[in-house]
Amino acid sequence: MVCALGIEGSANKIGIGIIRDGKVLANVRKTYITPPGEGFLPKETAKHHREAILGLVKSSLKEAQLKPSDLDVICYTKGPGMAPPLLVGAIVARTLSLLWDIPLLGVNHCIGHIEMGRLITGAQNPIVLYVSGGNTQVIAYSNKRYRIFGETIDIAVGNCLDRFARIIKLSNDPSPGYNIEQLAKSSNRYIKLPYVVKGMDVSFSGILSYIEDLAEPGKRQNKRKRAQEEEANDYSQADLCYSLQETIFAMLVEITERAMAHCGSNEVLIVGGVGCNERLQEMMCIMCEERGGKLFATDERYCIDNGLMIAHAGAEMFRSGTRMPFEEAFVTQRFRTDEVLVSWRDD
């Protein structure tokens, strides 16, 4: 049995998780929430994480009813993510590793999401749709790697939702995407938006610019403005949120279905913070059922960034014999999913 403590702090959430032999012992987290209309900046986010992290470590050990000597490995998010928040987790992980004389492992953030999703749902070898504030990828496992079949060519789907929430001044509590989801439920009026799928890749920046013109028609001077201005006045925020979700989620379902066809898979696993969205799950479930497949998804405990996913992925790495020299305990803002050798899978 491997008992691992994981530290996740790549964005606006700082989380600590403890897992032993696949059993969840602790999963605590705090979120840095900014005022409506504002995003989170790296410096302020790192400050929030510094203030919260030691208390979370203590809380996790208390919840798990463990002592530091009971741990086999300490894991932290090596990347990708925002550098200042990532450094908070890495510095604390290195310090605890030295103080407690426990091995240290850096974990890829996306691999953490995938392995956590597989553990919680029981999915065997699914097509993975990884959707979050910083990443959008369609992934399948093959020959000791998680292969990226398609991804965003500009901004991530979660970033698109978050930025639109800021445009219309939605609250960031508990998250911008959640509040867009709730507002969208009160509308069924679809406004045609650009639909940008390029092979297996997607693009969201043009959609965001287009819908921003609809939300604030007087803000930009462009060729579309005059034609849209009168009609745009009839659109409610709920209409815009509904239309944005329907469009970008349809794009994600399309490329996921194409990956299923290519790989001959009948399973889809949705991971990442946007994976909590019930409408995305509903649309993906319809597609899977039409193909005779099955959808696997989790709730906010495991979809949203958490320390437990880092602990579990690190435990799998440690169990398979992966070790990391202390001098390699750094962070990187760019860390591709397919760079990681998946040593713990034999299928």
Side-chain angles (χ1 to χ4, degrees), residues 11-31:
N12 68 325
K13 297 168 184 67
I14 180 71
I16 309 293
I18 300 176
I19 197 165
R20 181 166 55 198
D21 197 31
K23 181 180 179 182
V24 175
L25 301 182
N27 187 22
V28 295
R29 176 176 57 208
K30 285 190 177 180
T31 303

Side-chain angles (χ1 to χ4, degrees), residues 7 39 58 64 68 70 78 100 110-111 113 125 131 144 154-155 160 202 213 217 248 253 256 272 335 339:
I7 301 174
K58 293 176 182 177
D70 296 321
K78 192 169 186 176
W100 296 342
C110 175
I111 298 295
H113 275 298
N125 191 24
V131 279
K144 297 290 186 179
D154 41 47
I155 62 174
C160 177
V202 290
D213 289 339
I248 62 180
V253 170
T256 303
F335 191 2
E339 290 179 30

Side-chain angles (χ1 to χ4, degrees), residues 49 59 115 121 154 185 198 208 245 267 270 272 285-286 297 329:
H49 290 4
S59 296
E115 293 305 330
T121 65
D154 41 47
K185 290 178 180 178
K198 302 184 178 183
L208 180 64
Q245 279 198 162
E267 294 181 340
I270 305 179
C285 186
I286 292 170

Side-chain angles (χ1 to χ4, degrees), residues 121-317:
T121 65
Q124 295 302 307
N125 191 24
I127 299 297
V128 179
L129 176 65
Y130 172 34
V131 279
S132 69
N135 301 276
T136 301
Q137 296 175 340
V138 176
I139 301 162
Y141 171 81
S142 177
N143 296 321
K144 297 290 186 179
R145 301 273 176 177
Y146 282 112
R147 314 288 177 172
I148 299 173
F149 275 69
E151 59 191 318
T152 176
I153 59 176
D154 41 47
I155 62 174
V157 61
N159 190 291
C160 177
L161 291 168
D162 291 352
R163 285 165 65 175
F164 183 64
R166 293 203 293 271
I167 290 167
I168 61 176
K169 300 295 189 294
L170 284 185
S171 172
N172 291 321
D173 186 14
S175 72
Y178 175 82
N179 292 323
I180 283 180
E181 179 186 1
Q182 302 315 307
L183 196 54
K185 290 178 180 178
S186 60
S187 173
N188 60 4
R189 180 187 181 188
Y190 181 74
I191 304 159
K192 188 175 180 180
L193 301 176
Y195 185 95
V196 191
V197 174
K198 302 184 178 183
M200 283 297 293
D201 295 331
V202 290
S203 171
F204 299 110
S205 59
I207 299 170
L208 180 64
S209 297
Y210 188 95
I211 200 169
E212 182 179 0
D213 289 339
L214 297 182
E216 299 179 332
K219 188 173 181 180
R220 278 181 218 227
Q221 296 294 328
N222 56 44
K223 294 178 182 178
R224 292 196 304 268
K225 175 183 174 285
R226 287 186 298 275
Q228 293 171 342
E229 190 164 1
E230 288 187 11
E231 187 180 7
N233 291 332
D234 296 331
Y235 299 150
S236 69
Q237 288 189 350
D239 296 336
L240 295 171
C241 290
Y242 171 79
S243 302
L244 180 61
Q245 279 198 162
E246 294 297 301
T247 303
I248 62 180
F249 291 168
M251 291 161 54
L252 296 173
V253 170
E254 178 184 332
I255 62 173
T256 303
E257 183 175 17
R258 195 173 293 126
M260 290 179 74
H262 180 82
C263 297
S265 174
N266 64 352
E267 294 181 340
V268 172
L269 171 65
I270 305 179
V271 300
V274 181
C276 297
N277 189 291
E278 293 177 354
R279 179 55 181 157
L280 174 59
Q281 293 183 14
E282 180 184 13
M283 293 172 70
M284 195 68 72
C285 186
I286 292 170
M287 181 273 288
C288 289
E289 288 177 350
E290 288 177 349
R291 295 184 59 87
K294 186 176 181 181
L295 173 67
F296 296 88
T298 61
D299 58 29
E300 67 277 358
R301 292 173 298 170
Y302 308 111
C303 260
I304 297 172
D305 292 352
N306 60 87
L308 190 62
M309 70 186 200
I310 303 302
H312 175 58
E316 291 289 279
M317 294 167 63

